[in-house]
Each structure stands twice: as structure tokens, then as C-alpha cells.
Amino acid sequence: MRSHAASLTAGVLTMLAMGILYLWGVFLLGLEQELSLSRSTLSLVSSAALVTCTCGFLVYDRLLRTLPLQLYLAITFALAAGGHLLFGLLPGYATLLVGYGGMFGLAVGLGYGLALALASRVGDASRGIAISIVVSAFAMSGAALAAAAPWLFSGASTSNAFTRLGAALVLVWALAAVLLRGAPAFPAAQRGEAFPVDLVVRSPLFLQLGLVFFALNYCGLMLVAHGTGLFTAYGAAPGTAALSPVVLNLSYIIGSLLGGRAGEALSPRVLLVSVQTAVAGGVLLLMVVGPSSILALDVGVAILGASFGAAAAFMPVLIGRFWGASQINGLYGVMLLAYGGAGIVAPWASALLFGAFGGYAPALALALAITLAGLLSAARIGAFSRTPVPGG
């Protein structure tokens, strides 16, 4: 029990560290000014981070089963801290792209996978709660740091803020290493394992879940990259606009804390259709009422943030219910391709449409179309199998 508690605490700390990925919007305007670059050019860095993050998702399960746990942890945090320090000490677009877009993005994928794996190996009765806790931690640091940014980084350049974050990541690494001292390694994959992962990921059920997950992540990651810009474009004062990441991350936390239990309690169709419908309503609120109401913007962002967080918690739970808890790490790692795909497209497409039309209405219209496609896919998903049948 003590071992599980220490491991879960290490997972939470790791998620808190990797969750600073969602601080990108806080630094976007400062980076524009300091580097004299357009929003679309800077959005390539955010997209690159999510591409390399996806690479981390794809390999984390294999690496966890191959490397000693402390070595895996060291690689993850060395990439995260080093990526921030690289830009902080040598500010420039190239170091931002390599350090943040490459090194830190890969670290996020590895760290997220580690935290999820630590939560997934608790007992069946606690798994949904454990997953919800670690997933919610992914947004906690973003919410806290975004709210505290005016004080923490007051008078500091963006590069200096990155240096401070890099130093903080080294400290978190040390704490996590102590908590995981003596923790059991993850078992190596056995030769001839019968579970046909390739068959599952090509199955209609897995692909339908993937489309729903893509749609939910698209809207959330659009706001991660452009939430502050959206508020500014609608006339919000800089101080008000800076609160967008706070609203997004706080609602993400609430959604993720509820999502794991919802994934255990509800049928997949009811859960997914309900969440996609809420997202459609949130996007419409941003499109129709948002331009004339800051309150509507906050509510719309909160709806999308809560749905975004809920999806991160309930999707691994759904995978466990369809195909068995032992398959969560491997299959969810593949499912996170949908997250990475949304991360590639959402920031870049939104910036491109903003540059072409001078506003966010076309970007929101695209988000609504993607949400409706996800809603149609959710409506076609059937009930859980009684046993984890490959391919669903």
C-alpha cells in the first residue's frame, strides 16, 4: 500500500511537471514580441512539441518494459529541464524549436506515459480514481502557474521564465526519484504474447474511439495554443486575456477528476455523445456570444476545458473495459496518436485561419465541424463486451 502511494505521488509530481506544456499560451504574446515572429510561425513550435510528445506516447510502454525505472525517469526529466534551459540560456527561434518543440515535447510523452502506467497498476477498485488523479495533475501546474505568472515572472523576459522553469524541473526530478526508490520495475513483455494489438488498433471500434478522441483533443489544444489570442481578438484587456489558461486548466482538472469514474459508470455511447454534445455547445457559445461577452468566453472555454480533461481520464478507462486493464498502456499509447494529430493540426490551422481572415470565427467553425464528426462517430459506438475480445 505504501509503495502504491509513493508511486502514485511520483506520478502526480511527474504530471505536474509535464503539465507546463499548457502554459504555452501564457508565453505566446511575449515570444511574439521578443523574437519578432508571427503567431503562425511560433505555432509551429507548439505543433512540434505535440509531434514529439506523440513519439513519446508511442514508445513509452516499450521503454518502461526495457529500461530501469530510475534511468527512464532521468531521461524524461533531463529532456524536460534541458529543453527549457536551452532556450532560457540561449534564446532564439532555433533553440525554442529544438528545446521546447523537440526535447520538452518528447519528455511530456514519456512523462505522461510513466504517470499513467504508475496509476494503472493499482488495484481494479482504485484504478479509475488513480487515473483521474494523475490526469488532473497534468493541468494543475498550468492553472496555478498561469494564475501566478504576473507575480512569478513579473519583469522577467520569456527566456528568463524558461530558465526558472528548467531549474524547477530539476528539483521535481529529485523528488520523484526519491519516491520511486525501490519501486518495482514494469514487467518485460513476454515472447509470444497472444494479445493481437495490431488487430485491435485496426478495428472499427478502436478507429471510432480514435476519431472521438481526436475531436475532443482538437478543441482543447486549439485553446491551449490560442486561448489568450482568442480573448485578445475579442477585445479583452491583457490581464483578462491572461486568465484564459487559468479557466482552461481549472476546468480541465474538474473534468479529469470526474472522467475516470464516468468511464467506469456510464455506457460508452451515452458518455461520448454527451461530452461531444457539450463541446459543440461550447464552440457555438464562443462563436455566437463570445465576441460580445467576456463571460460567455469564460463559460465556453470552461466547457471545452472540462470535456478535454474528462476525455484524458475516461479514454484509458474505456480501453481497459473493452480490452482489459493489462492492455491500457500499449493501446492508449497508440490512441494518443489522435492527441498528437490534433496537436499538429489545431494550433497551426487556427493560426493560419486567423492570419488569413483576421479573426477566429473560421477557426471555430472548423472546430465545430470536427466536433460534429466526432459526435457522429460516438453515436455509432456500441456497448462494452463482457470479455476483452480483440478488435471489439
Side-chain angles (χ1 to χ4, degrees):
M1 183 66 69
R2 180 178 299 176
S3 174
H4 280 320
S7 293
L8 190 61
T9 303
V12 169
L13 284 174
T14 300
M15 280 295 209
L16 286 170
M18 301 307 148
I20 60 178
L21 178 73
Y22 290 165
L23 276 181
W24 176 257
V26 172
F27 300 122
L28 179 60
L29 299 180
L31 287 168
E32 283 182 333
Q33 296 172 0
E34 292 174 27
L35 299 180
S36 299
L37 294 171
S38 68
R39 192 166 300 181
S40 59
T41 300
L42 284 170
S43 291
L44 293 176
V45 176
S46 177
S47 292
L50 290 164
V51 170
T52 53
C53 176
T54 305
C55 294
F57 290 150
L58 288 174
V59 301
Y60 83 80
D61 184 55
R62 184 177 301 175
L63 291 178
L64 276 173
R65 295 175 183 274
T66 305
L67 300 176
L69 189 54
Q70 290 288 350
L71 177 58
Y72 182 103
L73 185 72
I75 291 171
T76 299
F77 275 92
L79 287 168
H84 279 83
L85 291 171
L86 178 62
F87 174 74
L89 299 175
L90 298 169
Y93 185 66
T95 54
L96 182 65
L97 187 61
V98 173
Y100 188 94
M103 296 168 64
F104 178 57
L106 180 59
V108 172
L110 296 177
Y112 193 107
L114 170 63
L116 181 67
L118 292 171
S120 297
R121 68 179 182 183
V122 304
D124 290 343
S126 304
R127 185 173 294 111
I129 295 174
I131 289 175
S132 287
I133 290 171
V134 297
V135 169
S136 68
F138 194 59
M140 287 179 184
S141 56
L145 290 174
W151 297 276
L152 287 176
F153 307 124
S154 177
S157 65
T158 305
S159 58
N160 183 265
F162 271 56
T163 301
R164 297 181 190 182
L165 289 171
L169 286 167
V170 173
L171 294 177
V172 177
W173 173 9
L175 289 173
V178 171
L179 287 166
L180 289 177
R181 187 171 51 194
F186 288 87
Q190 300 297 315
R191 286 188 177 182
E193 278 188 316
F195 195 85
V197 172
D198 290 346
L199 176 62
V200 170
V201 300
R202 293 195 300 267
S203 69
L205 172 58
F206 193 87
L207 294 175
Q208 287 167 356
L209 287 170
L211 178 55
V212 175
F213 200 46
F214 174 86
L216 290 169
N217 283 301
Y218 184 94
C219 292
L221 290 169
M222 175 186 68
L223 290 179
V224 168
H226 292 279
T228 303
L230 177 67
F231 272 62
T232 302
Y234 282 170
T240 302
L243 292 176
S244 170
V246 180
V247 175
L248 179 68
N249 285 302
L250 285 176
S251 58
Y252 181 105
I253 293 166
I254 294 170
S256 57
L257 287 173
L258 298 174
R261 278 302 191 190
E264 292 176 331
L266 301 176
S267 77
R269 181 182 294 146
V270 168
L271 174 61
L272 297 175
V273 168
S274 298
V275 175
Q276 286 284 27
T277 301
V279 171
V283 175
L284 283 171
L285 192 61
L286 293 177
M287 291 176 65
V288 178
V289 189
S292 60
S293 170
I294 297 299
L295 177 60
L297 283 177
D298 285 328
V299 173
V301 169
I303 291 172
L304 299 188
S307 302
F308 185 31
F314 67 59
M315 192 57 73
V317 174
L318 294 185
I319 286 173
R321 292 185 69 184
F322 274 121
W323 292 289
S326 63
Q327 305 305 321
I328 289 176
N329 288 331
L331 290 178
Y332 190 54
V334 179
M335 179 65 70
L336 283 165
L337 278 171
Y339 176 96
I344 295 168
V345 177
W348 173 79
S350 299
L352 189 66
L353 290 169
F354 176 82
F357 294 94
Y360 280 104
L364 290 169
L366 176 59
L368 181 61
I370 291 171
T371 298
L372 293 176
L375 180 58
L376 290 175
S377 181
R380 297 179 58 200
I381 292 173
F384 290 110
S385 302
R386 288 185 178 275
T387 57
V389 178

